[in-house]
Amino acid sequence: LEFRRVLFRSTGRITDAEGILNYSLCPQLDITSGIDYKFLNTDQYSTYDTIKSGKASNNTGSIFASLYYKAGIFHLEVGGRYNHDHNYGNNFTYTVNPSVILFNQLKIFATAASAYKSPSLYQLFSQYGNLLLKPETTTSYEAGFEEEIVRNILTFNTTFYQYKTTDVIY
């Protein structure tokens, strides 16, 4: 019977730069937009393997914008995000979220959205990692209502939803 002590050490660096602009185009319409850049790298050392940051790195760049429209009882948010992932290529995500507020206490809403998530460097390169992982993508639909029963104290809400996720990363 032989016992071996397994050593594992991980170091990493994250650089993140983001610029955001919030601007009111008119009393009913606001815009939020921006750019984002992330660079990640890691060194992984274990009894069995060594991975240097030149191999275990990624960078992503994004541009995004959301429009918020509100007129009377009707509110609408429409947004999108374009991402360029160095390891996985280009993708686009979106959100559309209309709502109506009735009697200043009942909100009826719906949402259609998509999401995208690349595997982390740990999920790819750690001793438990898998280099064959693909980005996780989700499309979701929600609808529901929220009622304020006692102002600022008690709210009741119900949401019906459907999510479809592919290439789930656990």
Side-chain angles (χ1 to χ4, degrees), residues 9-60:
R9 183 170 52 110
S10 174
T11 59
R13 186 180 84 191
I14 299 172
T15 302
D16 188 6
E18 184 174 47
I20 299 174
L21 169 69
N22 292 310
Y23 188 73
S24 181
L25 300 171
C26 65
Q28 297 83 19
L29 190 61
D30 295 335
I31 185 170
T32 298
S33 62
I35 59 173
D36 183 41
Y37 174 79
K38 285 185 176 66
F39 174 80
L40 306 105
N41 71 353
T42 184
D43 294 321
Q44 307 280 333
Y45 303 97
S46 76
T47 304
Y48 305 110
D49 196 12
T50 298
I51 297 170
K52 296 285 187 181
S53 60
K55 182 178 177 188
S57 65
N58 192 22
N59 62 69
T60 57

Side-chain angles (χ1 to χ4, degrees), residues 5 15 63-64 102 115 118 128 146 148 164:
R5 183 174 171 192
T15 302
I63 58 173
F64 56 90
L102 303 172
S118 340
Y128 309 106
E146 178 177 296
E148 191 171 37
K164 180 181 180 190

Side-chain angles (χ1 to χ4, degrees), residues 94-106:
Y94 63 89
T95 183
V96 178
N97 184 353
S99 63
V100 176
I101 299 175
L102 303 172
F103 316 113
N104 288 328
Q105 65 186 35
L106 175 63

Side-chain angles (χ1 to χ4, degrees), residues 106-136:
L106 175 63
K107 178 180 180 180
I108 301 170
F109 61 90
T111 301
S114 65
Y116 173 91
K117 179 178 144 187
S118 340
S120 71
L121 294 179
Y122 182 82
Q123 292 165 329
L124 293 169
F125 293 102
S126 76
Q127 64 188 21
Y128 309 106
N130 180 351
L131 291 172
L132 299 177
L133 289 175
K134 296 178 183 175
E136 182 176 295

